[in-house]
Amino acid sequence: GPVGGRDGMNGLPQVWDELRRRGLAKGDVPPAMPAEAATPWHVRLMLGVCGWLGGLLLLVFAGLVMPDPFDSHSLVVVGVLLLIGARMLLHGQPPELRAQFALSLCLAGYGAIAVAGAAWLPVWGAFLAAAGLGLVLAVVMPNAIARCFGVLALLLAGEGCFRELGWPSPVPAIAAWGCAAAWLDETRWAHRLGQSQAPVSWGATLALWVLGLAGALLPGMDLSVPPAWRGLAWPAYLLAALPLAWVAWRLSARARPAVRGWIAGTAFTLVLAGAWVPGVAFGLMTAVLGHARARVPLWVGGLLVALWSMGWFYYAQAWSLPRKAAVLLVLGGVLLLAWRGIARLGAPEAGHE
């Protein structure tokens, strides 16, 4: 039968008492095994640098021994070999040095195959091949960083493919809804996906931040809908920004009805603003999720994305100074209301400190 009572193992003392009652153990509770000391961060940093340096030297050696290292056929062969080698090195629980070395090989292999695809395929086909290869990395590679990179490459390359074809892209909406669902129900998804949960969540989050900043940093990959699809522009923007309102509604479930209504109204106002500046909606949504889940990198990164997008939108407008001042005042008030709402939203999920 189960040891430790109805709830199973409730701790070493309870289990030891149960074993003594059944005559399976004698004496006092044995001392707990000391936990292994974590490797200091500066040691991990040096090991990581050594691993990446080893990968760079291996690439230089491959370039010297190959007759034409920039030939597309050679790039494919080298890329596949690098990915296979990285997968083998990442098997099991590799030490830090080996893991970083394998990660450098993984990214180099992805880049080599992507460059070869760009030489063989049309631009949209190269993006599609890069997205498919990102999916392979996300599924096959056991390393969390490699999987995160795979999810990021899948979403961004998919966005580039849709932009190149001139079709309305569902990628921003998929990334936004996926990010919101992954962080809102983090424990449930961790139970279902296991170690894949964190790479998928962070990959979708990073892709969402890049898409939010695309209008300012990557003009060729902005979220503008092609002229043939202008009628879908507003619904597409709204669908991508709507998860902000869903997150606010879910996290304010324990608030009083009046407070919850005020939070929902503020969130919908920000959703409408996000239809013009997607980075604001994406950044604020991740900032709210990071605050509610006690994830400092998540809320800091989201807040920086929102501020950057807001500043870019403000300075990109050819408005008069009085109009800009009025808009800046309104934006400041909206941010103040949003911050007060964030302070009232949710609490860290059970199991996260």
Side-chain angles (χ1 to χ4, degrees), residues 11 16 23 25-26 47 66 80-81 83 92 98-99 101 115 126 135 139 178 193 202 209 224 256 267 275-276:
W16 192 259
K26 295 180 180 180
L47 291 175
M66 292 174 58
V80 171
L81 291 177
L83 291 179
R98 194 174 81 186
F101 177 70
V115 171
L135 178 61
V139 173
L193 300 179
W202 279 109
W209 288 348
S224 60
R256 299 192 307 272
W276 280 280

Side-chain angles (χ1 to χ4, degrees), residues 124-255:
W124 68 267
F127 275 122
L128 183 61
L133 186 56
L135 178 61
V136 171
L137 293 184
V139 173
V140 173
M141 289 296 171
N143 181 268
I145 299 179
R147 285 182 171 179
C148 179
F149 174 79
V151 174
L152 176 65
L154 168 65
L155 293 174
L156 294 185
E159 172 71 10
C161 180
F162 279 103
R163 295 298 107 193
E164 186 63 27
L165 290 172
W167 297 350
S169 174
V171 173
I174 292 174
W177 285 99
C179 176
W183 291 114
L184 274 176
D185 299 310
E186 185 179 3
T187 303
R188 185 179 69 179
W189 286 111
H191 177 72
R192 291 184 177 182
L193 300 179
Q195 295 182 351
S196 301
Q197 182 269 336
V200 170
S201 301
W202 279 109
T205 302
L206 293 175
L208 195 63
W209 288 348
V210 173
L211 293 173
L213 297 173
L217 300 181
L218 302 173
M221 284 184 58
D222 61 3
L223 301 183
S224 60
V225 175
W229 301 90
R230 293 297 184 190
L232 294 177
W234 181 257
Y237 289 146
L238 206 59
L239 183 62
L242 200 57
L244 173 60
W246 180 51
V247 168
W249 184 257
R250 283 281 305 274
L251 293 179
S252 60
R254 297 180 180 180

Side-chain angles (χ1 to χ4, degrees), residues 53-63 82 101 105:
L53 182 61
L56 178 62
L57 293 177
L58 180 61
L59 292 178
V60 172
F61 173 76
L82 289 175
F101 177 70
L105 298 185

Side-chain angles (χ1 to χ4, degrees), residues 29-352:
V29 179
M33 294 295 292
E36 295 184 2
T39 305
W41 68 268
H42 55 275
V43 175
R44 298 186 61 190
L45 177 61
M46 289 188 293
L47 291 175
V49 171
C50 292
W52 283 85
L53 182 61
L56 178 62
L57 293 177
L58 180 61
L59 292 178
V60 172
F61 173 76
L64 292 176
V65 299
M66 292 174 58
D68 186 4
F70 296 102
D71 176 67
S72 56
H73 296 84
S74 301
L75 286 174
V76 170
V77 172
V78 171
V80 171
L81 291 177
L82 289 175
L83 291 179
I84 294 176
R87 178 63 181 82
M88 295 175 63
L89 290 173
L90 290 173
H91 181 71
Q93 297 292 332
E96 190 71 24
L97 178 61
R98 194 174 81 186
Q100 294 299 325
F101 177 70
L103 184 61
S104 66
L105 298 185
C106 176
L107 298 186
Y110 176 89
I113 297 177
V115 171
W120 287 345
L121 303 171
V123 179
W124 68 267
F127 275 122
L128 183 61
L133 186 56
L135 178 61
V136 171
L137 293 184
V139 173
V140 173
M141 289 296 171
N143 181 268
I145 299 179
R147 285 182 171 179
C148 179
F149 174 79
V151 174
L152 176 65
L154 168 65
L155 293 174
L156 294 185
E159 172 71 10
C161 180
F162 279 103
R163 295 298 107 193
E164 186 63 27
L165 290 172
W167 297 350
S169 174
V171 173
I174 292 174
W177 285 99
C179 176
W183 291 114
L184 274 176
D185 299 310
E186 185 179 3
T187 303
R188 185 179 69 179
W189 286 111
H191 177 72
R192 291 184 177 182
L193 300 179
Q195 295 182 351
S196 301
Q197 182 269 336
V200 170
S201 301
W202 279 109
T205 302
L206 293 175
L208 195 63
W209 288 348
V210 173
L211 293 173
L213 297 173
L217 300 181
L218 302 173
M221 284 184 58
D222 61 3
L223 301 183
S224 60
V225 175
W229 301 90
R230 293 297 184 190
L232 294 177
W234 181 257
Y237 289 146
L238 206 59
L239 183 62
L242 200 57
L244 173 60
W246 180 51
V247 168
W249 184 257
R250 283 281 305 274
L251 293 179
S252 60
R254 297 180 180 180
R256 299 192 307 272
V259 175
R260 197 180 192 194
W262 172 79
I263 291 175
T266 304
F268 274 109
T269 302
L270 294 171
V271 166
L272 296 178
W276 280 280
V277 193
V280 173
F282 297 163
L284 287 178
M285 183 190 74
T286 51
V288 169
L289 288 169
H291 174 80
R293 295 294 176 256
R295 301 278 184 166
V296 175
L298 189 60
W299 76 261
V300 170
L303 192 59
L304 291 177
V305 170
L307 292 175
W308 178 282
S309 302
M310 196 175 300
W312 165 79
F313 175 78
Y314 173 77
Y315 285 107
Q317 305 305 313
W319 294 340
S320 62
L321 287 179
R323 186 177 181 183
K324 281 192 172 184
V327 171
L328 190 62
L329 181 63
V330 172
L331 290 177
V334 170
L335 277 181
L336 180 61
L337 291 175
W339 182 251
R340 289 189 61 188
I342 290 174
R344 293 170 178 257
L345 285 180
E349 190 180 23
H352 297 287

